[in-house]
Amino acid sequence: MVIGGCVLMESLGADSLRCGRKLVKTGDSPATLLASCGEPLYRGKSQAEVETEEGKSRVRVEQWHYKMGEHRLEYVVLIYHGEIVAVETGSR
């Protein structure tokens, strides 16, 4: 996964999230995510490892957590510099 000219090194589960009939995918903006899926259950911040020409480094990313139902998986959308860079699947 490339973010800001860097390669995201984490292992990720998906590159899109379906909210009803709408699909949000990597490259979309947080505004598109909000319009399609609504407010997240939780917003947090974390670090992601990226590889640059100089080597590996860590960058700060936003995490927006969504759960689409009681028995459904949790999804964590990673946002970096105003762009969705990854969608991770979590627990039920």
Side-chain angles (χ1 to χ4, degrees):
M1 170 86 38
V2 177
I3 56 176
C6 304
V7 179
L8 183 65
M9 302 298 292
E10 293 182 352
S11 124
L12 305 170
D15 65 353
S16 63
L17 170 63
R18 182 165 298 282
C19 298
R21 293 182 156 180
K22 297 181 181 180
L23 186 67
V24 179
K25 60 191 176 317
T26 55
D28 286 347
S29 69
T32 300
L33 178 60
L34 283 173
S36 299
C37 301
E39 281 292 327
L41 191 63
Y42 170 76
R43 290 185 194 200
K45 296 191 188 287
S46 71
Q47 301 262 325
E49 189 171 84
V50 296
E51 187 172 322
T52 65
E53 292 176 0
E54 295 81 33
K56 293 180 183 177
S57 64
R58 299 195 63 76
V59 297
R60 187 169 208 102
V61 294
E62 286 184 65
Q63 294 179 320
W64 291 17
H65 297 253
Y66 286 91
K67 187 143 179 147
M68 304 307 178
E70 185 178 342
H71 299 289
R72 310 279 311 258
L73 289 174
E74 178 182 1
Y75 291 91
V76 181
V77 180
L78 299 180
I79 300 170
Y80 179 72
H81 283 286
E83 182 178 309
I84 297 171
V85 294
V87 178
E88 297 178 336
T89 53
S91 61
R92 289 188 187 259

